[in-house]
Amino acid sequence: MAQRVYLVVFLLCLRLMCPLATGIFMDKLASKKLCADNDCVYTISLARAEEDYNASDCRFIDIKKGQLIYVYAKLVKEKDSGEFWAGSVYGEQYEDHMGPVGYFPSSLVSEQHVYQEANKTLPTT
C-alpha cells in the first residue's frame, strides 16, 4: 500500500515538473530597461501603491494600496505595450528583509522619493 502511495506521489511530481522541462514561452515586456547600475540592484526610487494590483503571471508582483515599493528598474515603453517597473514590496509581512521582486504597472503607483537617477539603459533578458 505504501509503495502505491509513493508511486502516485512520484507520478504527480513528475507531471508537475513536465512544464518546467519543456518551458513556457512568455512575451517580453520590453527590450530595454533603465537602471541606476549595470546589475539593476541599486534602488532608484520609493513608490507608493495608489491601487491594488493582482499579478497576472509569475513575472509580476501583487501590490496593495498604500504599500511602499522599492523600484530597481523601469522598462522602456514600446509601441502597444504597458509601462512597467521592477521592484519589491516592503512591509509588515517581510519585516526587515526584501519581499519578492517582480514587475508592476507604473500607472498604479506614485513616486515618493528618488534616490538616484536611472541613467543606464540595458537590454532585458
Side-chain angles (χ1 to χ4, degrees):
M1 181 67 169
Q3 290 177 344
R4 271 192 201 162
V5 171
Y6 290 130
L7 179 61
V8 169
V9 170
F10 172 75
L11 292 173
L12 285 173
C13 289
L14 188 61
R15 174 67 182 129
L16 292 174
M17 292 174 59
C18 186
L20 296 176
T22 59
I24 298 172
F25 178 76
M26 293 184 192
D27 292 331
K28 281 180 102 173
L29 299 173
S31 298
K32 296 179 183 176
K33 59 186 173 184
L34 296 171
C35 299
D37 63 289
N38 289 331
D39 297 318
C40 297
V41 295
Y42 292 118
T43 305
I44 296 169
S45 63
L46 178 67
R48 180 177 304 279
E50 300 296 330
E51 295 180 37
D52 290 351
Y53 174 73
N54 294 316
S56 57
D57 65 45
C58 62
R59 298 172 293 177
F60 298 89
I61 58 172
D62 292 332
I63 58 175
K64 302 292 178 216
K65 183 177 181 177
Q67 282 185 317
L68 294 175
I69 305 154
Y70 287 91
V71 179
Y72 302 108
K74 296 179 178 182
L75 298 183
V76 176
K77 185 172 173 34
E78 296 177 349
K79 179 182 159 190
D80 299 329
S81 70
E83 191 169 344
F84 296 97
W85 293 352
S88 178
V89 174
Y90 277 66
E92 294 174 13
Q93 180 181 357
Y94 304 108
E95 294 184 19
D96 294 330
H97 61 278
M98 185 169 70
V101 176
Y103 295 106
F104 56 92
S106 62
S107 61
L108 300 182
V109 301
S110 61
E111 273 188 308
Q112 302 292 302
H113 181 75
V114 176
Y115 295 111
Q116 54 193 323
E117 291 300 316
N119 56 10
K120 302 253 185 207
T121 303
L122 304 167
T124 59
T125 53

